[in-house]
């Protein structure tokens, strides 16, 4: 498919603006001031929640070692530097909605080293980005990462994890999960992809970033290119596009005189080889002057992007959902021969299209969550997706990597666990091995006959009580059943005593009938 065929049609005036007489409501979603002990009120009226145990179960709150003007940057949550383990926030969301997820980082010397650590961040099962805030921190600035993700369930997880470059504890300063309008970025297949923000700019603007309340979703529109800029007139009637950019971005523009092309290096830095979502926004604030017209052709790295774009006071937006880019990008706006005004642009957004990682089978996720509820002292990294990303699967959990990701073994031997065995364990039907020996588990052994692939079951050296389920004998491939040194009572089922090829150990219990050799 050619690049040109990927370009979507011009979108105009699809939504009405809210009344200017009332302040906009705060964005719908969850704002988390990481490490804070109490709610935080921002200068723009937004309220931030502390990261209570209901949102995150690991890590420790810390105060940064330098003064900050933004209260959300004064604290962080710091997580252990443990390679291969991820630590997650789990936030309630509206299933099927799109969310802007933004993570903010300001190191503030919390690890006692001059530079911040480098580590991974992920959403649900998708490895999103490598967090490297060193350059920003040396300039005294915070860093943020933003993406658009589909809520595939009733919760969404954001996680950080140590990678090979991590030299001190990962951390996070603030998190935002903001529900977006149904029209926004809707040309993207969010069932298979997410969007990772590369650049969002208001062209010709020179102030502080435009955000809430000007942007109802608190997106950040960074200033870009004050030179060749001009103020637009007040006769604009633009009232919104599919992506709902704020009206304030149309108050300034980048432009050049009539008949000259306008060339931009944008996004500002080099890009990795990938596909990109690009949206450009225009509104002509001068077309009432002497019947002036702005008609322009747009190219990206010399490739036609949009032809004969007629920019009026109603506004225009052009976007593409998958445009291949690598390295530096040059956008040219060239006036057509019948344009009486020079080319211009008001704003733009660029996102890298991020393929989604596969997630663990829902059946196994529910089973593990219920097992976690029945246990005490479970591993500290048991949050987020159990199997994905692959290098960050939960401690003790081994997963398949076929067409459906399933949990195939559970090994928590000598992990200091206590609590009971949830009957949901029987729902992880792809399990081939369960090792839970030498812990403090008590209560009955649940019925596990649905685990048709189970070969090894080690429950030895716990405090389990009650009878040995005879249904364990129905598991045809069971080869090892270690139940020794518990408080089990009753008889050893004949279905186990007579099972050929079974290595059965039951000594050290309170059994009342014949037992197999020790």
């Amino acid at each position: 498919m050619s690049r040109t065929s990927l370009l979507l049609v011009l979108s105009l005036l699809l939504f009405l603006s809210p009344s200017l007489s009332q302040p906009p409501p705060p964005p719908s979603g969850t704002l988390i001031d990481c490490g804070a002990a109490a709610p935080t009120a921002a200068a723009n009226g937004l309220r931030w929640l502390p990261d209570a145990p209901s949102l995150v179960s690991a890590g420790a709150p810390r105060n940064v070692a330098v003064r900050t003007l933004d209260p959300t940057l004064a604290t962080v949550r710091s997580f252990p530097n443990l390679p291969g383990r991820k630590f997650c926030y789990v936030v309630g969301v509206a299933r099927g909605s799109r969310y802007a997820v933004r993570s903010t980082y300001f190191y503030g010397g919390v690890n006692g080293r001059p530079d911040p650590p480098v580590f991974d961040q992920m959403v649900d099962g998708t490895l999103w980005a490598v967090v490297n805030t060193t350059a920003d921190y040396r300039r005294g600035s915070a860093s943020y990462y933003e993406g658009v993700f589909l809520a595939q369930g009733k919760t969404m997880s954001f996680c950080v994890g140590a990678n090979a470059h991590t030299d001190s504890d990962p951390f996070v300063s603030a998190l935002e999960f903001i529900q977006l309008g149904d029209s926004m970025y809707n040309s993207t297949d969010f069932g298979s992809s997410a969007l990772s923000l590369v650049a969002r700019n208001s062209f010709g603007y020179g102030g502080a970033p435009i955000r809430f309340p000007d942007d109802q979703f608190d997106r950040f529109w960074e200033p870009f290119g004050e030179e060749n800029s001009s103020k637009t007139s007040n006769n604009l009637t633009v009232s919104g596009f599919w992506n709902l950019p704020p009206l304030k971005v149309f108050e300034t523009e980048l432009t050049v005189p009539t008949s000259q092309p306008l060339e931009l290096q944008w996004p500002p830095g080099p890009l990795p080889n990938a596909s990109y979502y690009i949206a450009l926004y225009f509104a002509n604030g001068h077309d009432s002057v002497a019947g002036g017209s702005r008609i322009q052709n747009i190219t990206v790295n010399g490739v036609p992007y949009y032809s004969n774009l007629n920019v009026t006071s109603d506004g225009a937006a052009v976007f593409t959902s998958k445009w291949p880019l690598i390295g530096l990008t040059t956008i040219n706006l060239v006036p057509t021969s019948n344009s009486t005004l020079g080319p211009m642009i008001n704003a733009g957004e660029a996102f890298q299209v991020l393929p989604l990682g596969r997630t663990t089978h829902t059946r196994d996720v529910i089973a593990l969550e219920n097992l976690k509820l029945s246990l005490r002292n479970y591993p500290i990294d048991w949050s987020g997706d159990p199997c994905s990303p692959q290098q960050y699967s939960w401690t003790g959990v081994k997963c398949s990597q076929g067409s459906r990701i399933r949990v195939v073994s559970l090994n928590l031997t000598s992990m200091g666990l206590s609590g009971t065995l949830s009957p949901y364990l029987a729902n992880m039907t792809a399990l081939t091995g369960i090792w839970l020996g030498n812990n403090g588990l008590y209560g009955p052994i649940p019925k596990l006959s649905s685990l048709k692939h189970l070969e090894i079951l080690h429950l030895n050296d716990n405090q389990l009580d009650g009878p040995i389920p005879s249904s364990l004998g129905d598991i045809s491939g069971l080869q090892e059943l270690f139940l020794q040194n518990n408080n089990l009572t009753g008889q050893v089922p004949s279905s186990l005593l007579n099972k050929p090829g079974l290595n059965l150990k039951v000594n050290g219990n309170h059994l009342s009938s014949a037992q197999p050799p020790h």
Side-chain angles (χ1 to χ4, degrees):
M1 183 177 291
S2 69
R3 302 188 197 193
T4 305
S5 65
L6 293 171
L7 187 66
L8 299 182
V9 296
L10 181 71
S11 63
L12 294 173
L13 299 177
L14 296 179
F15 290 86
L16 296 177
S17 299
S19 171
L20 298 177
S21 62
Q22 297 179 352
S28 176
T30 303
L31 311 182
I32 305 169
D33 185 357
C34 303
T40 303
N44 59 4
L46 298 180
R47 291 188 61 82
W48 296 72
L49 301 174
D51 56 357
S54 60
L55 297 172
V56 63
S57 58
R62 294 185 183 176
N63 297 321
V64 302
V66 297
R67 292 186 63 185
T68 62
L69 296 177
D70 185 342
T72 63
L73 303 181
T75 60
V76 305
R77 180 161 289 268
S78 181
F79 299 96
N81 179 14
L82 297 174
R85 294 195 181 187
K86 65 176 181 281
F87 301 99
C88 304
Y89 285 80
V90 180
V91 176
V93 290
R95 182 173 186 171
S97 293
R98 295 178 206 119
Y99 280 79
V101 180
R102 184 160 56 228
S103 56
T104 302
Y105 301 92
F106 182 70
Y107 173 56
V110 294
N111 291 339
R113 299 190 178 196
D115 288 328
V118 175
F119 50 92
D120 293 332
Q121 68 174 14
M122 54 213 89
V123 168
D124 292 335
T126 299
L127 188 62
W128 176 7
V130 176
V131 175
N132 187 346
T133 66
T134 304
D136 284 339
Y137 182 65
R138 288 176 179 173
R139 291 192 295 266
S141 302
S143 305
Y144 70 90
Y145 295 76
E146 183 181 318
V148 181
F149 295 84
L150 178 70
Q152 301 189 33
K154 295 181 180 179
T155 62
M156 187 178 291
S157 65
F158 170 89
C159 316
V160 298
N163 59 33
H165 304 288
T166 306
D167 59 6
S168 62
D169 294 348
F171 70 98
V172 61
S173 302
L175 280 175
E176 298 163 76
F177 295 79
I178 297 176
Q179 188 174 4
L180 298 175
D182 291 340
S183 70
M184 298 174 69
Y185 314 113
N186 64 359
S187 63
T188 301
D189 178 6
F190 284 101
S192 61
S193 304
L195 298 178
S196 181
L197 182 67
V198 174
R200 178 185 291 119
N201 292 103
S202 178
F203 294 113
Y205 175 69
I210 298 169
R211 52 178 304 187
F212 184 83
D214 294 297
D215 187 303
Q216 61 181 304
F217 304 103
D218 198 29
R219 292 169 295 181
F220 296 174
W221 299 80
E222 303 283 354
F224 185 97
E226 287 185 77
E227 65 278 1
N228 298 325
S229 66
S230 68
K231 291 282 187 178
T232 63
S233 64
N234 296 323
N235 66 339
L236 292 175
T237 57
V238 58
S239 58
F241 306 101
W242 286 357
N243 294 343
L244 303 179
L247 293 179
K248 190 174 179 64
V249 302
F250 297 102
E251 293 179 0
T252 60
E253 62 187 29
L254 278 182
T255 186
V256 292
T258 306
S259 78
Q260 293 185 22
L262 172 59
E263 182 175 294
L264 297 174
Q265 183 179 297
W266 184 86
L271 301 176
N273 188 8
S275 293
Y276 292 83
Y277 177 105
I278 302 173
L280 305 176
Y281 306 102
F282 311 85
N284 184 8
H286 304 279
D287 62 344
S288 62
V289 181
S293 63
R294 291 189 190 272
I295 305 173
Q296 54 198 27
N297 296 322
I298 308 172
T299 64
V300 176
N301 290 339
V303 178
Y305 181 88
Y306 202 92
S307 299
N308 294 311
L309 176 64
N310 185 12
V311 184
T312 70
S313 61
D314 289 339
V318 291
F319 57 95
T320 180
S321 56
K322 287 186 177 180
W323 190 277
L325 293 174
I326 183 173
L328 294 175
T329 303
T330 300
I331 295 178
N332 277 282
L333 309 172
V334 181
T336 62
S337 58
N338 55 341
S339 181
T340 62
L341 296 170
M344 56 77 66
I345 186 170
N346 296 103
E349 294 180 279
F351 297 85
Q352 182 178 338
V353 179
L354 186 68
L356 291 182
R358 293 178 302 134
T359 55
T360 307
H361 195 289
T362 302
R363 181 188 187 98
D364 291 347
V365 173
I366 294 173
L368 279 172
E369 288 292 345
N370 279 277
L371 178 62
K372 187 170 80 168
L373 290 174
S374 71
L375 297 176
R376 300 189 188 96
N377 302 324
Y378 53 80
I380 60 174
D381 64 334
W382 271 33
S383 61
D385 190 281
C387 297
S388 296
Q390 184 177 358
Q391 64 269 43
Y392 288 107
S393 59
W394 287 5
T395 294
V397 175
K398 184 178 180 181
C399 308
S400 68
Q401 293 298 321
S403 57
R404 292 193 302 175
I405 297 181
R406 300 298 308 272
V407 176
V408 295
S409 72
L410 193 61
N411 189 344
L412 297 171
T413 302
S414 303
M415 292 291 291
L417 303 177
S418 63
T420 61
L421 287 177
S422 168
Y424 277 87
L425 189 63
N427 287 2
M428 289 189 281
T429 53
L431 282 171
T432 60
I434 299 174
W435 291 266
L436 296 174
N438 195 30
N439 284 294
L441 302 174
Y442 54 87
I445 299 172
K447 183 179 180 181
L448 300 175
S449 56
S450 59
L451 304 183
K452 303 300 183 183
H453 303 285
L454 193 65
E455 299 173 355
I456 298 172
L457 177 59
H458 289 188
L459 301 176
N460 54 286
D461 299 285
N462 281 287
Q463 301 167 32
L464 298 170
D465 54 40
I468 300 173
S470 61
S471 59
L472 290 173
D474 298 334
I475 304 174
S476 60
L478 191 62
Q479 300 171 12
E480 290 184 6
L481 178 58
F482 290 0
L483 302 176
Q484 69 270 27
N485 302 323
N486 277 287
N487 297 318
L488 300 172
T489 56
Q491 300 180 349
V492 179
S494 60
S495 61
L496 294 173
L497 288 172
N498 300 323
K499 190 174 183 63
L502 176 63
N503 182 4
L504 175 63
K505 295 182 179 181
V506 295
N507 57 290
N509 284 286
H510 307 294
L511 300 170
S512 59
S513 61
Q515 300 182 20
H518 295 346

